[in-house]
Amino acid sequence: MAEGESCTASAAEGKEDFEIIDKTQIPNATELKSQDQGRTEEGRWSAPILSLAKKASENLALSYGHALKSASLVGFMSKPVSNDTTAKTSARCHAMEERANLMNMMKLSIKTLIQSALSLGRTLDSDFPPLQQFFVVLEHCLKHGLKVKKTFIGQNKSFFGPLELVEKLCPEASDIATSVKNLPELKTAVGRGRAWLYLALMQKKLADYLKVLLDHKHLLSEFYEPDALMMEEEGAVIVGLLVGLNVIDANLCLKGEDLDSQVGVIDFSLYLKETQDSDGKQDGGITAVLDQKHYVEELNRHLSCTVADLQNKIDCLEKTNSKLQEELAAATDRIGSLQEEQQQLKQQNELIRERSEKSVEVTKEDTKVELDTYKQSRQGLDEMYSDVWKQLKEEKKIRLELEKELELQIGMKTEMEIAMKLLEKDTHEKQDTLVALRQQLEEVKAINLQMFHKSQNAECSLQQKTEAISSFEGKTNEMMSSMKQMEKRLQHAEKARQAAEERCNKMKQELAGRLDSCRQQMSQLDSKCSTLEKELKSEKEQRQTLQRELHQEKDATTLLKTELQQMEGLKKELRKLQDEKQQLEKVCEEQEQALQEMGLHLSQSKLKMEDIKEVNKALKGHTWLKDDEATHCKQCDKEFSISRRKHHCRNCGDIFCNTCSSNELALPSYPKPVRVCDTCHTLLLQRCSSNSS
């Protein structure tokens, strides 16, 4: 009885968050065996699960019997038993009873769940009562022997901590952990743990995950006490029983469930057998209809969710389709513009072909005429024919070179235009900077004026304060002179008092024997002494008043000194302001110098722009002369012949003889030095010399 009372006391002190079930309410392992043997038709357990459960119950019954015997023997053998040992033994007995109760409840819940699921023959949802009771019992098993963790908020005790270890030990469980963490409805660790159990049961890997946890008991010891169910053999037995749940198909919705505020209370009414089978069958039919209704509602909910998701996807696809249609329209417009450009290019190619064919026909006619002439005079015409053929080849080469030069000149023109635009942009930017600098100058001038006014005001205040100081010094001198006069008066009064005291002493010595006759005189003297004392008191009071006035004057002098210090601070500030003024003047001068430099740069850039414009005008004015148009040299006016050949100047485009175009210079449109006439040569050299200077 004492041991039972100590067990109950320790249970009351522990205050577990699950209900403790009495051993008398739940049948033992032997009773369960007899019930299972007697009612094999009702139970539909599979053979391996039954054998596992039987072996586990037998092993546990034997271990409990040995433990109780050893505990009783230890109790009989030990003579002096302390209170600590009795408390420990009672706690162990209580923990053993709790483990036995929880394991028996787990067996019953798994058995009823499998029987009801097999009788229904369909997937289970979260509203199925045996499934709810199974989760409640499993939660109690996981909460048994949990250590209390202290935090800043208070004491925390949840079974989600050991379940989080599964993610590290088994990487397959990472999906469950992420989905549980991503659920916004779950705010407590208990709700997350329940959601984790739901998802593990739906994956049919609840037994595997718990087995992984039991294999690493050194990690579980951080969360559980040594006497906890998960740390003992009962945990392995429960994991073996959970393997049978892989037969069940569960479809549990976590979105609408309030897992944080569910109360985990075991309902024993499910496990009590009713006597009448007909009532049980009717209730089974009603429960089946209700389960079907719940299943249909769950299906409708899932279908509504899928419909909403599909509508969102359709909206997204419509948006993408509209975007693609817009891109298609833009692409078709681009294709149309490209086709138009292709047609224009084809027309240009046809024009070029026609021109080339015409030129070929002209050349053919010329060759025919020449052939007729050659036939008439065959003797010297063979050499002339070869020369003409060579000239034709050279002209073709020259034509190709000219086309290349034309392309290069076009490129140079575009480059020049780009350079012109860039220079114009630079000039605009520099003008903007000039305007900004002028504004800054005006602001600096305004600041200088403000600083000058402030300095004048400070000087005026300094003069006023110096005048006040001089007046205060005069007052202090007057007070000092009055103090000296009062001290002199005090000294005279003290001297008179000393003289009076000496006279009193002399009179006492002379009139010691004449006391009776001189009492009247003594009273007079006493009255005189009292008057003198009153005068002394009044003088002392006057002295005290003078001392107070002195203290007040000293305070006034200290205040004046502080004001003087403030004036010195103001002088320092004035000096700082003057230094800042000088710095600002220096900055103004530097900015003026920068403005002057910017003006010089602007003038130089304008000159360069004018030079570039002149060059561009010159380039636009120059045209490439054709061979047929020129018959004489432009410079020496000599007629061209077979011996005096035609040569183009690459700068101006005119045709010259060899002597007048023997110079070569590097032009910007040509990578190598090119033939140039004498006039262009001199002009270009002059321009290069001016640019370098």
Side-chain angles (χ1 to χ4, degrees):
M1 290 294 288
E3 285 179 1
E5 287 172 3
S6 63
C7 289
T8 53
S10 63
E13 288 172 0
K15 288 184 181 178
E16 293 286 342
D17 55 350
F18 54 81
E19 293 182 355
I20 298 163
I21 305 159
D22 294 332
K23 218 171 185 181
T24 55
Q25 291 180 358
I26 300 167
N28 292 325
T30 54
E31 290 176 3
L32 281 168
K33 280 171 73 180
S34 63
Q35 285 175 6
D36 290 335
Q37 286 173 3
R39 297 177 182 177
T40 52
E41 291 179 357
E42 290 177 2
R44 294 183 182 178
W45 282 53
S46 57
I49 296 160
L50 261 172
S51 60
L52 255 173
K54 286 174 184 177
K55 285 178 184 177
S57 60
E58 286 172 1
N59 290 326
L60 277 168
L62 289 168
S63 64
Y64 292 152
H66 288 301
L68 288 167
K69 283 177 185 177
S70 61
S72 63
L73 284 168
V74 167
F76 285 123
M77 290 294 287
S78 60
K79 291 176 183 177
V81 180
S82 63
N83 292 322
D84 295 333
T85 55
T86 54
K88 284 178 182 177
T89 53
S90 63
R92 283 175 187 171
C93 292
H94 185 68
M96 286 169 70
E97 285 181 1
E98 284 178 354
R99 289 201 300 272
N101 291 335
L102 287 169
M103 196 183 73
N104 290 325
M105 284 305 302
M106 199 70 199
K107 286 179 184 178
L108 282 169
S109 64
I110 290 168
K111 179 183 174 183
T112 52
L113 179 60
I114 291 169
Q115 283 178 354
S116 58
L118 291 172
S119 64
L120 282 171
R122 61 171 180 82
T123 54
L124 305 178
D125 53 359
S126 57
D127 295 329
F128 192 52
L131 187 62
Q132 289 177 352
Q133 287 302 307
F134 163 72
F135 280 121
V136 170
V137 175
L138 184 60
E139 187 179 336
H140 284 306
C141 292
L142 290 170
K143 283 182 181 178
H144 183 263
L146 266 174
K147 289 181 180 178
V148 178
K149 288 189 177 181
K150 292 181 179 179
T151 58
F152 292 108
I153 301 162
Q155 292 183 349
N156 187 12
K157 188 177 180 182
S158 67
F159 61 93
F160 187 57
L163 294 177
E164 282 182 321
L165 294 172
V166 181
E167 185 182 358
K168 297 176 183 177
L169 301 171
C170 187
E172 295 173 3
S174 59
D175 296 333
I176 295 173
T178 52
S179 59
V180 167
K181 288 173 184 176
N182 290 328
L183 284 169
E185 298 170 356
L186 302 176
K187 296 176 183 178
T188 59
V190 177
R192 292 191 189 94
R194 287 167 180 168
W196 192 93
L197 292 172
Y198 279 24
L199 293 168
L201 184 69
M202 282 195 285
Q203 283 188 357
K204 296 185 180 181
K205 289 185 179 180
L206 183 59
D208 298 333
Y209 293 151
L210 292 176
K211 189 183 177 186
V212 169
L213 273 177
L214 291 174
D215 291 338
H216 298 81
K217 284 186 179 178
H218 61 282
L219 296 171
L220 283 175
S221 60
E222 296 178 4
F223 298 97
Y224 288 104
E225 299 287 342
D227 296 331
L229 188 139
M230 293 296 286
M231 299 296 288
E232 296 292 334
E233 292 178 357
E234 286 87 343
V237 174
I238 287 168
V239 169
L241 293 169
L242 289 171
V243 175
L245 296 175
N246 294 335
V247 183
I248 297 167
D249 293 325
N251 187 10
L252 308 172
C253 183
L254 299 175
K255 283 187 178 179
E257 295 289 331
D258 188 10
L259 298 174
D260 293 327
S261 60
Q262 283 183 2
V263 181
V265 180
I266 299 169
D267 187 11
F268 293 102
S269 63
L270 289 168
Y271 310 114
L272 297 171
K273 297 288 181 180
E274 293 183 358
T275 53
Q276 294 178 358
D277 294 331
S278 61
D279 296 335
K281 286 177 182 179
Q282 286 176 1
D283 292 334
I286 291 161
T287 51
V289 170
L290 287 169
D291 291 336
Q292 287 175 2
K293 183 188 173 186
H294 291 311
Y295 179 66
V296 169
E297 286 176 354
E298 190 68 28
L299 278 173
N300 286 326
R301 195 187 300 164
H302 281 295
L303 285 168
S304 62
C305 292
T306 51
V307 165
D309 293 332
L310 287 167
Q311 281 178 354
N312 292 324
K313 286 178 182 178
I314 286 160
D315 294 333
C316 293
L317 287 167
E318 284 176 353
K319 287 178 183 177
T320 51
N321 195 5
S322 62
K323 286 179 183 177
L324 287 168
Q325 283 177 356
E326 289 174 359
E327 289 174 0
L328 248 175
T332 50
D333 293 334
R334 285 178 189 171
I335 288 160
S337 61
L338 288 168
Q339 284 176 356
E340 288 175 358
E341 287 176 1
Q342 194 177 2
Q343 286 176 359
Q344 289 175 1
L345 289 167
K346 281 180 180 179
Q347 289 174 0
Q348 288 175 1
N349 283 324
E350 286 175 357
L351 289 167
I352 291 160
R353 278 180 187 176
E354 287 175 358
R355 287 175 185 173
S356 62
E357 284 174 359
K358 285 178 181 179
S359 62
V360 168
E361 285 175 358
V362 169
T363 50
K364 279 180 181 179
E365 288 173 357
D366 293 336
T367 50
K368 281 178 183 179
V369 171
E370 286 173 358
L371 278 167
D372 294 334
T373 54
Y374 290 152
K375 283 177 183 178
Q376 290 175 3
S377 57
R378 281 186 178 179
Q379 292 177 356
L381 284 174
D382 292 332
E383 294 176 0
M384 290 290 289
Y385 182 74
S386 62
D387 293 332
V388 169
W389 191 254
K390 286 177 184 177
Q391 282 181 2
L392 268 169
K393 287 181 180 177
E394 286 175 0
E395 282 175 357
K396 284 180 181 177
K397 288 177 183 178
I398 289 160
R399 188 181 179 185
L400 292 168
E401 288 175 359
L402 288 170
E403 286 176 355
K404 288 178 183 176
E405 287 172 3
L406 268 169
E407 288 175 356
L408 289 168
Q409 281 184 358
I410 290 160
M412 282 293 293
K413 269 189 179 181
T414 53
E415 287 174 1
M416 291 289 283
E417 287 173 357
I418 291 160
M420 287 281 286
K421 286 176 182 176
L422 290 169
L423 281 166
E424 285 175 358
K425 283 181 183 177
D426 290 332
T427 52
H428 286 305
E429 287 174 358
K430 285 172 182 176
Q431 285 173 0
D432 294 333
T433 51
L434 272 168
V435 172
L437 286 166
R438 283 173 186 167
Q439 288 176 357
Q440 287 177 2
L441 264 171
E442 289 175 357
E443 288 174 357
V444 167
K445 285 176 182 177
I447 289 160
N448 284 329
L449 285 168
Q450 288 176 2
M451 295 299 289
F452 181 69
H453 290 308
K454 283 181 181 177
S455 62
Q456 285 181 351
N457 293 325
E459 285 173 358
C460 293
S461 63
L462 262 172
Q463 288 176 0
Q464 290 173 1
K465 285 180 180 177
T466 49
E467 289 172 359
I469 287 159
S470 61
S471 65
F472 280 123
E473 283 175 355
K475 285 180 181 178
T476 50
N477 292 322
E478 289 175 359
M479 291 296 288
M480 290 293 286
S481 62
S482 62
M483 283 285 291
K484 285 176 183 178
Q485 289 174 3
M486 292 298 288
E487 284 175 356
K488 285 177 183 178
R489 286 179 186 174
L490 271 168
Q491 287 174 2
H492 286 302
E494 284 175 356
K495 284 176 183 178
R497 187 189 172 193
Q498 286 174 1
E501 284 177 356
E502 286 174 358
R503 285 172 189 170
C504 284
N505 290 323
K506 284 178 183 179
M507 289 294 285
K508 281 177 183 179
Q509 288 173 4
E510 288 173 358
L511 301 169
R514 299 174 183 177
L515 283 167
D516 296 328
S517 61
C518 293
R519 276 179 183 174
Q520 293 177 355
Q521 293 178 359
M522 283 293 289
S523 61
Q524 291 175 359
L525 287 168
D526 287 329
S527 62
K528 286 179 181 178
C529 282
S530 62
T531 52
L532 286 167
E533 284 174 356
K534 285 176 182 177
E535 286 177 358
L536 272 169
K537 284 179 182 178
S538 63
E539 284 174 357
K540 282 180 181 178
E541 286 174 356
Q542 286 177 358
R543 189 180 179 184
Q544 287 175 357
T545 52
L546 287 168
Q547 283 177 353
R548 285 172 189 169
E549 287 176 356
L550 258 174
H551 285 301
Q552 289 174 359
E553 290 295 328
K554 283 178 182 177
D555 293 332
T557 51
T558 52
L559 287 167
L560 287 167
K561 284 177 182 177
T562 52
E563 285 179 355
L564 273 168
Q565 289 175 358
Q566 288 175 359
M567 290 300 293
E568 287 175 357
L570 286 166
K571 284 179 182 177
K572 287 178 182 177
E573 285 179 359
L574 247 176
R575 287 171 190 168
K576 285 180 183 177
L577 289 167
Q578 286 173 358
D579 295 333
E580 286 178 359
K581 186 184 175 184
Q582 289 175 0
Q583 288 176 0
L584 286 166
E585 284 175 355
K586 286 178 183 178
V587 170
C588 283
E589 288 174 0
E590 289 173 358
Q591 286 177 354
E592 284 175 357
Q593 288 176 1
L595 278 168
Q596 288 174 0
E597 289 174 0
M598 289 290 288
L600 288 169
H601 285 301
L602 269 170
S603 61
Q604 288 175 3
S605 62
K606 281 179 181 178
L607 289 168
K608 285 179 183 177
M609 282 282 289
E610 287 173 359
D611 293 336
I612 288 160
K613 283 177 181 177
E614 287 176 0
V615 171
N616 199 2
K617 283 177 183 177
L619 284 168
K620 285 178 181 176
H622 295 312
T623 54
W624 191 266
L625 278 173
K626 293 181 181 178
D627 292 335
D628 299 334
E629 291 177 358
T631 55
H632 295 79
C633 179
K634 192 174 182 182
Q635 192 169 350
C636 62
D637 287 335
K638 288 181 180 179
E639 192 176 356
F640 294 116
S641 63
I642 295 164
S643 59
R644 190 179 285 106
R645 292 176 61 194
K646 298 175 183 178
H647 296 283
H648 277 88
C649 175
R650 299 298 187 271
N651 190 32
C652 61
D654 292 325
I655 296 168
F656 300 91
C657 62
N658 191 19
T659 54
C660 297
S661 62
S662 60
N663 299 309
E664 286 185 353
L665 268 176
L667 294 173
S669 58
Y670 296 95
K672 293 180 181 179
V674 193
R675 188 185 290 273
V676 179
C677 65
D678 294 337
T679 54
C680 291
H681 185 261
T682 53
L683 281 167
L684 289 167
L685 285 172
Q686 286 174 3
R687 196 173 288 161
C688 289
S689 63
S690 65
N691 286 326
S692 63
S693 63

